[in-house]
Amino acid sequence: MTIPKFAQIKQFIVNNIRSGAWLENQRVASENELAEQFSVSRMTARRALSELTEAGILTRSQGLGTFVASFKSQSSLLEIKNIADEVKARNGNYSCTVLVLESISAVAPIAIALGVEVDSVVYRSVLVHNENEQPLQVEERFVNPALATSYLQQDFTALTPHEYLSSVAPLTEARHTVEAIMPNSEMCQWLNLYHEEPCLQVIRRTWSSSGIVSFARLVSPGSKYRLGGHLTFKK
Protein backbone atom coordinates (compact mmCIF):
# COMPACT_ATOMS: atom_id res chain seq x y z
CA MET A 1 0.00 0.00 0.00
CA THR A 2 1.43 3.36 -1.07
CA ILE A 3 1.71 5.89 1.75
CA PRO A 4 0.42 9.35 0.75
CA LYS A 5 3.11 12.00 0.41
CA PHE A 6 1.69 14.19 3.17
CA ALA A 7 1.77 11.18 5.54
CA GLN A 8 5.39 10.51 4.55
CA ILE A 9 6.27 14.08 5.45
CA LYS A 10 4.50 13.77 8.79
CA GLN A 11 6.37 10.57 9.56
CA PHE A 12 9.66 12.23 8.57
CA ILE A 13 9.01 15.10 10.97
CA VAL A 14 7.91 12.87 13.85
CA ASN A 15 10.93 10.60 13.37
CA ASN A 16 13.27 13.59 13.56
CA ILE A 17 11.61 14.73 16.79
CA ARG A 18 11.66 11.26 18.35
CA SER A 19 15.31 10.70 17.46
CA GLY A 20 16.34 14.04 18.92
CA ALA A 21 17.54 15.39 15.58
CA TRP A 22 15.02 18.20 15.98
CA LEU A 23 14.85 19.57 19.52
CA GLU A 24 12.06 21.34 21.36
CA ASN A 25 11.43 24.87 20.08
CA GLN A 26 13.72 24.26 17.08
CA ARG A 27 12.64 25.62 13.72
CA VAL A 28 11.69 22.85 11.30
CA ALA A 29 11.84 22.76 7.51
CA SER A 30 9.56 25.23 5.75
CA GLU A 31 6.76 24.37 3.32
CA ASN A 32 9.03 25.23 0.40
CA GLU A 33 11.89 23.12 1.74
CA LEU A 34 9.65 20.12 2.38
CA ALA A 35 7.96 20.50 -0.99
CA GLU A 36 11.33 20.43 -2.71
CA GLN A 37 12.69 17.57 -0.60
CA PHE A 38 9.68 15.31 -1.20
CA SER A 39 8.88 16.53 -4.73
CA VAL A 40 5.37 17.61 -3.81
CA SER A 41 3.32 20.77 -4.01
CA ARG A 42 3.40 23.40 -1.28
CA MET A 43 -0.22 22.49 -0.52
CA THR A 44 0.80 18.92 0.32
CA ALA A 45 3.63 20.13 2.55
CA ARG A 46 1.29 22.64 4.18
CA ARG A 47 -1.21 19.87 4.95
CA ALA A 48 1.45 17.84 6.76
CA LEU A 49 2.58 20.83 8.83
CA SER A 50 -0.99 21.88 9.57
CA GLU A 51 -2.07 18.45 10.78
CA LEU A 52 0.95 18.14 13.07
CA THR A 53 0.28 21.66 14.36
CA GLU A 54 -3.35 20.75 15.08
CA ALA A 55 -2.09 17.66 16.92
CA GLY A 56 0.12 19.85 19.13
CA ILE A 57 3.35 18.36 17.83
CA LEU A 58 4.40 21.53 16.03
CA THR A 59 3.68 25.18 16.68
CA ARG A 60 3.56 27.86 14.01
CA SER A 61 4.41 31.55 14.40
CA GLN A 62 3.32 34.01 11.74
CA GLY A 63 6.35 35.41 9.97
CA LEU A 64 8.82 33.26 11.88
CA GLY A 65 8.11 29.71 10.80
CA THR A 66 7.17 26.35 12.27
CA PHE A 67 8.78 24.97 15.42
CA VAL A 68 8.86 21.78 17.46
CA ALA A 69 6.36 22.11 20.30
CA SER A 70 7.50 21.73 23.90
CA PHE A 71 6.06 18.29 24.59
CA LYS A 72 8.28 17.66 27.56
CA SER A 73 7.70 20.96 29.32
CA GLN A 74 7.26 20.45 33.05
CA SER A 75 4.50 22.27 34.87
CA SER A 76 3.76 22.20 38.57
CA LEU A 77 0.26 23.37 37.68
CA LEU A 78 -0.59 20.00 36.13
CA GLU A 79 -3.38 18.24 37.97
CA ILE A 80 -4.04 14.53 38.00
CA LYS A 81 -7.70 14.34 37.12
CA ASN A 82 -10.01 11.39 36.95
CA ILE A 83 -10.67 10.86 33.24
CA ALA A 84 -14.30 9.96 33.88
CA ASP A 85 -14.81 13.33 35.58
CA GLU A 86 -13.11 15.12 32.66
CA VAL A 87 -15.49 13.52 30.17
CA LYS A 88 -18.55 14.21 32.30
CA ALA A 89 -17.45 17.84 32.75
CA ARG A 90 -17.70 18.20 28.97
CA ASN A 91 -21.21 16.74 29.14
CA GLY A 92 -19.87 13.62 27.48
CA ASN A 93 -20.87 10.03 28.12
CA TYR A 94 -18.00 8.14 29.76
CA SER A 95 -17.50 4.38 29.48
CA CYS A 96 -14.63 1.96 29.86
CA THR A 97 -13.62 -1.21 28.03
CA VAL A 98 -11.49 -3.64 30.05
CA LEU A 99 -9.02 -5.45 27.79
CA VAL A 100 -6.68 -7.04 30.34
CA LEU A 101 -6.81 -7.56 34.11
CA GLU A 102 -4.17 -9.98 35.35
CA SER A 103 -1.26 -10.75 37.63
CA ILE A 104 2.18 -11.12 36.03
CA SER A 105 5.82 -11.62 36.99
CA ALA A 106 7.59 -8.27 36.94
CA VAL A 107 10.35 -7.99 34.35
CA ALA A 108 13.27 -5.74 35.29
CA PRO A 109 11.93 -2.38 33.93
CA ILE A 110 8.55 -2.83 35.64
CA ALA A 111 10.16 -4.05 38.87
CA ILE A 112 12.44 -1.02 38.94
CA ALA A 113 9.55 1.36 38.22
CA LEU A 114 7.48 -0.11 41.07
CA GLY A 115 10.38 -0.61 43.47
CA VAL A 116 9.78 -4.37 43.80
CA GLU A 117 11.91 -7.46 43.21
CA VAL A 118 12.37 -8.79 39.68
CA ASP A 119 9.95 -11.69 38.98
CA SER A 120 7.74 -10.75 41.90
CA VAL A 121 3.99 -10.70 41.25
CA VAL A 122 2.46 -7.38 40.17
CA TYR A 123 -0.96 -6.50 38.78
CA ARG A 124 -1.50 -5.32 35.21
CA SER A 125 -4.53 -3.75 33.57
CA VAL A 126 -5.17 -2.47 30.06
CA LEU A 127 -8.26 -0.31 29.66
CA VAL A 128 -9.75 1.86 26.94
CA HIS A 129 -11.45 5.01 28.21
CA ASN A 130 -14.28 6.10 25.90
CA GLU A 131 -16.12 9.35 25.36
CA ASN A 132 -19.50 9.05 23.66
CA GLU A 133 -18.58 5.45 22.76
CA GLN A 134 -15.40 6.56 20.96
CA PRO A 135 -11.94 5.55 22.28
CA LEU A 136 -10.28 8.48 24.01
CA GLN A 137 -7.31 6.95 25.81
CA VAL A 138 -5.60 3.60 26.31
CA GLU A 139 -4.32 3.05 29.84
CA GLU A 140 -1.84 0.30 30.63
CA ARG A 141 -1.10 0.20 34.34
CA PHE A 142 1.15 -1.88 36.58
CA VAL A 143 0.23 -1.89 40.27
CA ASN A 144 2.07 -2.82 43.46
CA PRO A 145 -0.11 -5.55 45.06
CA ALA A 146 1.12 -4.72 48.55
CA LEU A 147 -0.57 -1.31 48.33
CA ALA A 148 -3.71 -2.29 46.39
CA THR A 149 -4.51 -5.86 47.35
CA SER A 150 -7.99 -5.97 45.76
CA TYR A 151 -7.06 -4.34 42.45
CA LEU A 152 -7.92 -7.36 40.31
CA GLN A 153 -11.34 -7.71 41.95
CA GLN A 154 -12.50 -4.23 40.94
CA ASP A 155 -15.13 -3.54 38.30
CA PHE A 156 -13.39 -0.88 36.22
CA THR A 157 -16.49 -0.30 34.14
CA ALA A 158 -18.00 1.21 37.30
CA LEU A 159 -14.98 3.08 38.70
CA THR A 160 -11.61 4.03 37.27
CA PRO A 161 -8.23 2.73 38.51
CA HIS A 162 -7.49 6.28 39.60
CA GLU A 163 -10.59 6.35 41.81
CA TYR A 164 -9.84 2.97 43.38
CA LEU A 165 -6.14 3.65 43.99
CA SER A 166 -6.89 7.10 45.43
CA SER A 167 -9.20 5.47 47.96
CA VAL A 168 -6.87 2.66 49.11
CA ALA A 169 -3.50 4.42 48.74
CA PRO A 170 -4.02 8.20 48.68
CA LEU A 171 -1.50 9.93 46.40
CA THR A 172 1.29 11.96 47.91
CA GLU A 173 3.49 12.35 44.84
CA ALA A 174 3.46 11.82 41.07
CA ARG A 175 5.97 12.14 38.27
CA HIS A 176 5.22 12.40 34.57
CA THR A 177 6.93 12.43 31.23
CA VAL A 178 5.14 13.23 27.99
CA GLU A 179 6.28 12.47 24.47
CA ALA A 180 5.02 12.13 20.93
CA ILE A 181 4.88 8.59 19.58
CA MET A 182 3.64 6.77 16.52
CA PRO A 183 1.23 4.01 17.64
CA ASN A 184 1.74 0.40 16.61
CA SER A 185 -1.01 -1.58 14.89
CA GLU A 186 -2.41 -2.88 18.19
CA MET A 187 -2.66 0.63 19.63
CA CYS A 188 -4.33 1.86 16.42
CA GLN A 189 -6.91 -0.89 16.82
CA TRP A 190 -7.57 -0.04 20.45
CA LEU A 191 -7.93 3.67 19.64
CA ASN A 192 -10.00 2.97 16.53
CA LEU A 193 -7.54 4.83 14.31
CA TYR A 194 -7.93 4.09 10.62
CA HIS A 195 -4.29 4.95 9.94
CA GLU A 196 -1.23 5.74 12.01
CA GLU A 197 -1.24 9.26 13.37
CA PRO A 198 0.85 10.91 16.08
CA CYS A 199 -0.23 10.14 19.61
CA LEU A 200 0.83 11.54 22.96
CA GLN A 201 2.12 9.14 25.55
CA VAL A 202 2.17 9.97 29.25
CA ILE A 203 4.33 7.83 31.51
CA ARG A 204 3.23 8.28 35.12
CA ARG A 205 4.49 6.93 38.44
CA THR A 206 2.49 7.56 41.60
CA TRP A 207 3.39 7.30 45.27
CA SER A 208 1.49 7.08 48.51
CA SER A 209 3.01 7.52 51.95
CA SER A 210 3.79 3.78 51.93
CA GLY A 211 5.69 3.67 48.65
CA ILE A 212 5.26 3.46 44.86
CA VAL A 213 1.66 2.58 44.01
CA SER A 214 1.58 2.31 40.22
CA PHE A 215 3.36 2.80 36.95
CA ALA A 216 1.12 3.69 34.02
CA ARG A 217 1.31 4.40 30.30
CA LEU A 218 -1.49 6.56 28.91
CA VAL A 219 -1.81 6.96 25.14
CA SER A 220 -4.20 9.39 23.45
CA PRO A 221 -4.61 10.68 19.90
CA GLY A 222 -2.17 13.53 19.32
CA SER A 223 -4.83 16.22 19.50
CA LYS A 224 -5.42 15.40 23.17
CA TYR A 225 -2.12 16.00 24.96
CA ARG A 226 -1.15 17.08 28.45
CA LEU A 227 2.01 18.61 29.87
CA GLY A 228 4.05 16.64 32.39
CA GLY A 229 5.12 17.63 35.86
CA HIS A 230 6.18 16.64 39.35
CA LEU A 231 3.50 17.08 41.98
CA THR A 232 3.57 16.91 45.76
CA PHE A 233 0.10 16.62 47.25
CA LYS A 234 -0.91 18.45 50.39
CA LYS A 235 -1.64 16.18 53.33
Side-chain angles (χ1 to χ4, degrees), residues 132-200:
N132 300 326
E133 301 183 354
Q134 295 299 314
L136 178 66
Q137 182 185 85
V138 171
E139 172 190 313
E140 180 179 27
R141 187 183 294 269
F142 301 90
V143 176
N144 185 344
L147 301 180
T149 56
S150 300
Y151 188 78
L152 297 184
Q153 283 70 57
Q154 302 308 305
D155 178 6
F156 290 124
T157 64
L159 83 167
T160 65
H162 172 77
E163 290 174 303
Y164 168 70
L165 294 174
S166 294
S167 67
V168 299
L171 301 182
T172 57
E173 187 178 349
R175 293 175 186 169
H176 315 255
T177 60
V178 185
E179 65 179 333
I181 66 167
M182 291 301 294
N184 59 25
S185 58
E186 184 177 51
M187 188 63 68
C188 286
Q189 181 180 357
W190 288 342
L191 287 172
N192 198 24
L193 301 177
Y194 294 105
H195 54 81
E196 285 190 1
E197 64 178 74
C199 290
L200 265 293

Side-chain angles (χ1 to χ4, degrees), residues 56-111:
I57 293 172
L58 301 177
T59 181
R60 308 188 79 174
S61 178
Q62 185 68 33
L64 295 178
T66 305
F67 301 83
V68 178
S70 298
F71 288 106
K72 297 183 181 179
S73 297
Q74 301 296 306
S75 172
S76 61
L77 298 178
L78 177 72
E79 298 179 45
I80 295 183
K81 297 181 179 179
N82 181 32
I83 191 168
D85 293 338
E86 290 187 15
V87 172
K88 293 171 184 176
R90 297 193 289 266
N91 294 318
N93 178 33
Y94 171 80
S95 62
C96 176
T97 305
V98 179
L99 300 177
V100 176
L101 195 57
E102 63 182 358
S103 59
I104 63 170
S105 296
V107 295
I110 301 304

Side-chain angles (χ1 to χ4, degrees), residues 6-20:
F6 80 91
Q8 292 180 32
I9 297 173
K10 289 171 65 176
Q11 184 67 67
F12 167 76
I13 293 171
V14 170
N15 286 345
N16 274 285
I17 295 172
R18 291 183 66 187
S19 69

